[in-house]
Amino acid sequence: MATLLAIITGIALFFFAIISQGGVEVFISAPSMMIVLGGTLAAVFISFPLPSVLKVAGVLLQIFKKDIQNPSWVIALVVRLSFKARQQSLLSLEQDIGVIDNRMIKLGLELVIDGHPAQLIRDVLETELDFVQIRHRRGEHIFRTAGKFAPSFGLIGTLIGLVQMLQTLGATGTDAANSLGHGMALALITTFYGAVMANLFFLPVAEKLKSRTDDEVLRTQIVIEGVLMLQAGMNPRIIERKLNSYLPPEQRASYYEDILKKQNRR
Amino acid sequence: MATLLAIITGIALFFFAIISQGGVEVFISAPSMMIVLGGTLAAVFISFPLPSVLKVAGVLLQIFKKDIQNPSWVIALVVRLSFKARQQSLLSLEQDIGVIDNRMIKLGLELVIDGHPAQLIRDVLETELDFVQIRHRRGEHIFRTAGKFAPSFGLIGTLIGLVQMLQTLGATGTDAANSLGHGMALALITTFYGAVMANLFFLPVAEKLKSRTDDEVLRTQIVIEGVLMLQAGMNPRIIERKLNSYLPPEQRASYYEDILKKQNRR
Amino acid sequence: MATLLAIITGIALFFFAIISQGGVEVFISAPSMMIVLGGTLAAVFISFPLPSVLKVAGVLLQIFKKDIQNPSWVIALVVRLSFKARQQSLLSLEQDIGVIDNRMIKLGLELVIDGHPAQLIRDVLETELDFVQIRHRRGEHIFRTAGKFAPSFGLIGTLIGLVQMLQTLGATGTDAANSLGHGMALALITTFYGAVMANLFFLPVAEKLKSRTDDEVLRTQIVIEGVLMLQAGMNPRIIERKLNSYLPPEQRASYYEDILKKQNRR
Amino acid sequence: MATLLAIITGIALFFFAIISQGGVEVFISAPSMMIVLGGTLAAVFISFPLPSVLKVAGVLLQIFKKDIQNPSWVIALVVRLSFKARQQSLLSLEQDIGVIDNRMIKLGLELVIDGHPAQLIRDVLETELDFVQIRHRRGEHIFRTAGKFAPSFGLIGTLIGLVQMLQTLGATGTDAANSLGHGMALALITTFYGAVMANLFFLPVAEKLKSRTDDEVLRTQIVIEGVLMLQAGMNPRIIERKLNSYLPPEQRASYYEDILKKQNRR
Amino acid sequence: MATLLAIITGIALFFFAIISQGGVEVFISAPSMMIVLGGTLAAVFISFPLPSVLKVAGVLLQIFKKDIQNPSWVIALVVRLSFKARQQSLLSLEQDIGVIDNRMIKLGLELVIDGHPAQLIRDVLETELDFVQIRHRRGEHIFRTAGKFAPSFGLIGTLIGLVQMLQTLGATGTDAANSLGHGMALALITTFYGAVMANLFFLPVAEKLKSRTDDEVLRTQIVIEGVLMLQAGMNPRIIERKLNSYLPPEQRASYYEDILKKQNRR
């Protein structure tokens, strides 16, 4: 919510300044838009397989839906499960799997309950993590590449406009300056489109995808370490201390104490 | 197919915008093309050995022939073979080698049947993988370098045009503006050529070669891990689980179950 | 203090030169500022989660408050504590924890006194260090990204100004040159704003955050090595020699000798 | 030969286009050349020690002398020597050293015959390889740096020309346009020189040096692995298989079979 | 000496070309210099702590004082000492420490004589090496950053000049072209200053600092390996062979043979 407000404020400031200086209708030019969009799309479609590009469109919607949740709930969950596993048994975690809605924790617990050795579990989970990263980084890479192509096609469009204008130069007679001005204005709009698309859409979204990936990698690393310590039957208190070191001090909490208190009350 | 359609749509949009604004014939200039192409080719031929450059031309055709196949068939194959190897023997795989049309799986199985130790097999296959990567990355690198040289020679061509035009400035008399316009238009076309070549051909193709390499590396890693687990006589189910972690969830399938069912039916 | 003086001198030189050449009032333009600031802020807010951006504002104030202290006091402290631990016991350090105001040393000593094994202590402290780095690098990254967006929006603003000016070209009649001049001057101011913001604020601050992070990483590495050698009960003289190798020769001091002298005097 | 032809064709195309558009004599300007060459040389001489720069001149001649030979002869040699070593003894290789003209194989065999342990041999040879790389990369780095300085000095020269021309503007009276044109043409030639030098000489040669280094590193890696397997007394057939994996499939050959046949014939 | 001559020749060529084209006095502009220097200094002072910047000034003088010496004397020294250590004892090296004027060898020998284990010696010396590198790289980084800021402030200065000139455009009446020319010339001088400072001073010096660091790292690596082999009591001939592999073939020499001859003569 706050993020959306901040973005809108920035963009409003930007467009208000443009309007306050003169009409906005001079910035509307279908051919300029077609050159920049057409060129950028063509370059992107040649660069990447179509399914990857389409999948990115899906990712895009999801990005602005919600902010990433605080990964402390992962720690709370792992500590609670390790407590239960020590009091009852590893197998007793089977009934918890159905409730968990995080794919990586689920997969990790399944592997633990199936009795696979720690090395295999680590291998499988880290390969999953690698793959999640590769898939996410590809999305970021597509946007970053589009952000490089867009200004180039903006420049190409301006070159096209300039060449066409210069060819007719001298033939226009009296209102030469008028014609020259209009021609150059039209030509420059394409550069404007390319720069705005890159700097207000492609590059910031690429950056956003990068933060998302970093956050997800962090959460998955906590899951991997947590599941392996849980399997090794380590003390929940030590598990908590070690996993908490992944979080900034202000996000840490003592789940162990809460559980202990609840246990004692019962 | 869809990829081709997408590319064509993008390029059509781009060229339609150019034509709609004025004639396309003003953009045809043999000397400009010769400067950009000649310069870029010369720079590329100095930079790289001729055989490497020629080999890239071959790679180019192959790229647009077909999309890379889903690597899940590699997993299916490895699981099936490991099943057979456990039921019969490693040597029984000899008759399967003839049918397989993937060079790396073939080589891996030959090494397994010859009874080489796991470490040697891994060394040989990973050296093969390294080499395949080096060869592919060189192709990408050649295109990326050409994509850097092309705009530079575009700029050089524009400088040439400007110098030649400016030298005759003032001598032309009455139709000065007309002459100036034509001269600058001609000069700018070279920059246009350089930018279009780089952004619609060299750079996107370099990017395409990069995705191809990444896909092939992934497939080869699956082959290496699969062959070594097969040699170690691991349970096909565990092999499947571990290899599946290389794929995105939607591409995974349970080959083991299929084989088991078929076995039981017989 | 000296740093502030140096910065002010540089900026004074810069602005004095501007004023000496002509009035400074021609450089004040609200719409230009709105385009650059609005655009850059919007791009930054899209790129990064809002809490990260706000946290950076807090970091900013703190940066210019004081220069980073010489990390030699960390060595002095560790040597003194290791001396005490050898003469009395590791548990005797408990009373020192309350006095220390460095979070990492405190955490390290707590782990030592709790009797955790060296490997766990190293893991926890190094994860803390990793996280501190990630948090700091994100701040640097935000500023560096803003430093890339600002000149781009400066350019976009200039394009807007040029297009609006060129549209009215020829319509102005007699004072064409006058109007053209004013229009271009206004347009160029936006580029000026973008370049100044990037080169006098965003990029230098990003660089500053980087030095800060490097210094803090160095200090934390000294803490980690020191705490672990202290736990291992190593000779304070060797601890001092090894930790001193992290410092440049002129910052080193012999704390061990001082302590020894004090001890003997008593 | 073919490479040379390709380079000449490219450059011919490039220059033919220039001549076809106008006289080439307008591009000859001693002061422009002096600014670009003088500036670039000064910057390079400040950047690198003189001996390194002079050594690079020697390397340059050697580069265009011959294409790098196919590294398969190294494999043939190692296989042949390992065959002999197994049939006779490691010491019997002493007489072969005199004939070999590759420094690294020679050094490796000397170390083997002297009876040094495998680890020392690997250390010495890999340090040699590191050094060869550092020396070669420095050459590449010098050219790449010169390729960055040249366009900068081209721009500086154009700035000089523009400033000098603009100073005399207005004083020239009637033929103002003529004078302006000549002045700008002269100014732009320096940018032209800088761009051509960088894009047709410095950068492509840097790229060439890079390919050369990569090829030499590959060959040396084959030598190191080969010598160590030879010392370990491994089966020549396995040596061949393992070394062959360093080569692309089309360059591989079965030296082992040839030697075996020759042996049997005798 | 030769280096200095080469640098002077390059710069002379550069300035001779400027003078030959027109007066040099048009390039002197105090405000332009103040903008570029003031802006760059301010940006550097914000970016880096003051002591680091001042230390760099000291490093600068030292750089042009002498070329780095050939590191072969380090090998000669280590071989001679290891010879002595084998004939007499490690403790006998104590009297040699006073004579050596290289800090790292001294420190290494002290640690050896004090009887510390090899691992600790390696740790201490490698931490020293890391620190020397960090300190040197920071100097390089400061110059490289200044080399990026200088052209930016050159551009900013030109924008300032253009805006001020364009504001007065049309008001000047008859000698409009004259005034326009002077204004633009003045504006462009700032870009010229920024480009010259970056390309003839900041960037080449950064490069020089880099070569220096590389040379010092190489020499220190030889020291570390040498001291550890000396402590291990290895044969001086093997020490020499191994250390020689760090040098290019033409710099190697056989110190061992010399020492042996001298010994026998006695």
Side-chain angles (χ1 to χ4, degrees), chain A:
Chain A
M1 270 297 281
T3 305
L4 210 69
L5 208 77
I7 296 171
I8 289 171
T9 310
I11 294 182
L13 220 69
F14 178 76
F15 280 107
F16 177 73
I18 298 178
I19 294 163
S20 77
Q21 289 293 86
V24 96
E25 69 280 359
V26 299
F27 291 102
I28 295 163
S29 158
S32 295
M33 186 50 86
M34 278 159 72
I35 287 171
V36 176
L37 259 192
T40 305
L41 286 181
V44 166
F45 286 138
I46 299 172
S47 298
F48 304 101
L50 194 60
S52 301
V53 179
L54 295 180
K55 210 183 288 173
V56 158
V59 167
L60 204 65
L61 288 172
Q62 183 196 334
I63 264 185
F64 291 99
K65 237 173 34 201
K66 63 168 176 347
D67 264 343
I68 274 219
Q69 66 266 62
N70 186 323
S72 64
W73 68 268
V74 175
I75 299 178
L77 179 62
V78 170
V79 170
R80 193 170 59 72
L81 291 176
S82 71
F83 213 88
K84 187 175 173 190
R86 271 164 76 99
Q87 287 193 324
Q88 303 174 19
S89 79
L90 276 173
L91 292 178
S92 73
L93 302 180
E94 195 141 31
Q95 64 205 80
D96 295 273
I97 290 180
V99 191
I100 299 164
D101 74 333
N102 178 294
R103 199 170 63 78
M104 292 299 285
I105 304 182
K106 236 174 179 160
L107 175 61
L109 287 181
E110 277 171 18
L111 291 168
V112 165
I113 291 166
D114 285 8
H116 292 297
Q119 193 51 46
L120 181 86
I121 298 175
R122 181 179 285 278
D123 278 4
V124 169
L125 291 179
E126 287 188 344
T127 313
E128 290 273 347
L129 174 57
D130 286 352
F131 185 82
V132 166
Q133 275 199 61
I134 288 171
R135 203 171 33 172
H136 276 62
R137 302 253 180 253
R138 177 164 282 195
E140 182 200 339
H141 187 56
I142 289 176
F143 271 90
R144 215 171 277 282
T145 308
K148 272 185 214 144
F149 280 129
S152 297
F153 283 102
L155 189 80
I156 289 173
T158 297
L159 286 170
I160 293 169
L162 285 178
V163 167
Q164 289 175 334
M165 180 205 74
L166 289 166
Q167 284 291 347
T168 61
L169 201 78
T172 39
T174 50
D175 52 346
N178 195 337
S179 156
L180 185 93
H182 271 285
M184 280 198 65
L186 262 171
L188 287 177
I189 286 171
T190 326
T191 297
F192 169 75
Y193 281 176
V196 168
M197 264 188 230
N199 288 291
L200 270 185
F201 183 63
F202 291 129
L203 296 178
V205 167
E207 208 60 60
K208 185 85 171 186
L209 284 169
K210 190 165 172 281
S211 329
R212 283 287 153 108
T213 310
D214 292 348
D215 287 341
E216 197 163 335
V217 167
L218 177 70
R219 205 176 53 217
T220 309
Q221 280 175 333
I222 295 176
V223 168
I224 295 176
E225 293 310 318
V227 164
L228 288 172
M229 288 194 289
L230 184 152
Q231 192 202 25
M234 278 174 73
N235 187 327
R237 226 183 125 217
I238 293 179
I239 294 181
E240 182 180 294
R241 170 154 262 172
K242 215 168 157 191
L243 294 185
N244 257 336
S245 63
Y246 282 96
L247 298 187
E250 70 270 19
Q251 287 184 15
R252 293 175 194 169
S254 190
Y255 316 104
Y256 178 69
E257 303 293 333
D258 295 356
I259 296 167
L260 220 62
K261 260 184 247 158
K262 255 190 254 167
Q263 295 265 335
N264 293 341
R265 227 178 303 155
R266 260 187 283 172

